[in-house]
Amino acid sequence: MAATSRQASSVSPDAPAPVIVAIDGPSGTGKSSTSRAVAAKLGLSYLDTGAQYRAITWWMLTHDIDVKDTEAVAAAADRPEILSGTDPAEPTITVDGADASGPIRTQEVTGAVSAVSAVPAVRTRITELQRAIAAGAPTGIVVEGRDIGTTVLPDADLKIFLTASPEARAARRGGELKGSGGRPVDLDATREALLRRDAADAGRKTSPLRKADDAVEVDTTELTLEQVIECVVTLVEDKQQAR
Ligand code: DC
């Protein structure tokens, strides 16, 4: 049950201290694209924590564990080996040695992930992996998720909370689904599914989706992806200069 980072780890002795950036928010706000691009531009590692929750959910489904059975999910939470590669140019995720990057994006996993990620034993397990990966990032890391600023890395150097209107989020998610080769997407259904998942993520008892008190909120509704990236890069650079 190890966590790995496949990036090079040679850092010169007078290099600046690693910078930890937490980016949280609901789905469809541009979190993943923004986080990856910011990490790539600044030479940082990148961790998609949603992919880890999806990976453990996929493992539960493929091992015939009833994802509604909280006790069964909790009892199995330590069993899968989940490894995340943190190069923003090529993030990877494997479960028990198998590439999980395709299977974790299926509707079946998307429909089950809120239930699995609400189980405290699952959150404890995945949070440990996340902290180990962040601590081992040589130059720093951009970690995206729902509870990074509040729970996983409360001492992050910079916390960002991305938001967008439900319509903008549904349109973006619909575009992603179409782009991945699916049938034409029903935007109303996409919007309803997004809102249902957000409500489950924000309403759960353990580490709900919530803006940290000291997070900078960025509403991306009227912004292009490039504008959001630029905004976050500037915020990180300002932080680095102030240290
Ligand atoms: O970002 P995503 O849609 O791939 O995330 C999948 C699910 O994982 C999401 O519905 C909530 C959960 N999640 C979480 O509970 N905590 C995180 N830090 C990241 C994701």
Side-chain angles (χ1 to χ4, degrees):
M1 272 162 277
T4 55
S5 164
R6 296 199 181 103
Q7 277 187 287
S9 58
S10 55
V11 183
S12 76
D14 52 356
V19 63
I20 305 283
V21 181
I23 303 191
D24 290 301
S27 4
T29 50
K31 250 185 352 244
S32 295
S33 312
T34 302
S35 302
R36 262 182 88 168
V38 169
K41 276 194 177 206
L42 297 174
L44 306 176
S45 301
Y46 160 71
L47 179 64
D48 172 0
T49 63
Q52 296 176 306
Y53 284 104
R54 288 172 178 273
I56 199 166
T57 301
W58 177 58
W59 185 92
M60 298 282 167
L61 292 170
T62 53
H63 287 72
D64 289 331
I65 291 168
D66 177 1
V67 296
K68 298 255 159 59
D69 182 342
T70 306
E71 282 180 20
V73 170
D78 279 340
R79 287 177 53 201
E81 183 185 53
I82 298 169
L83 299 181
S84 301
T86 58
D87 180 348
E90 195 194 355
T92 57
I93 182 122
T94 64
V95 181
D96 292 343
D99 177 12
S101 50
I104 62 170
R105 303 291 163 193
T106 58
Q107 288 298 326
E108 198 191 2
V109 169
T110 301
V113 65
S114 284
V116 172
S117 62
V119 175
V122 168
R123 300 208 72 81
T124 303
R125 167 84 204 288
I126 300 292
T127 297
E128 278 167 15
L129 291 182
Q130 292 161 355
R131 288 181 178 150
I133 293 170
T139 55
I141 190 164
V142 180
V143 184
E144 60 140 315
R146 304 290 193 289
D147 62 337
I148 310 306
T150 53
T151 304
V152 179
L153 300 167
D155 297 328
D157 298 292
L158 177 66
K159 301 177 186 177
I160 310 274
F161 194 81
L162 295 183
T163 60
S165 70
E167 289 70 26
R169 298 196 288 119
R172 286 172 192 161
R173 211 13 87 88
E176 279 168 23
L177 295 175
K178 241 185 273 174
S180 59
R183 294 186 299 277
V185 167
D186 176 342
L187 277 189
D188 286 339
T190 304
R191 180 174 173 277
E192 292 315 308
L194 267 183
L195 293 179
R196 253 199 322 276
R197 197 146 63 90
D198 290 349
D201 294 341
R204 68 173 173 238
K205 282 210 182 88
T206 313
S207 297
L209 164 66
R210 188 175 69 73
K211 174 181 170 294
D213 294 337
D214 52 350
V216 179
E217 184 166 334
V218 179
D219 183 344
T220 68
T221 308
E222 304 288 338
L223 301 178
T224 63
L225 177 60
E226 285 65 33
Q227 287 171 322
V228 182
I229 294 165
E230 202 45 54
C231 167
V232 176
V233 164
T234 304
L235 287 168
V236 178
E237 286 174 340
D238 287 351
K239 271 283 165 196
Q240 284 175 311
Q241 273 161 20
R243 291 198 303 162

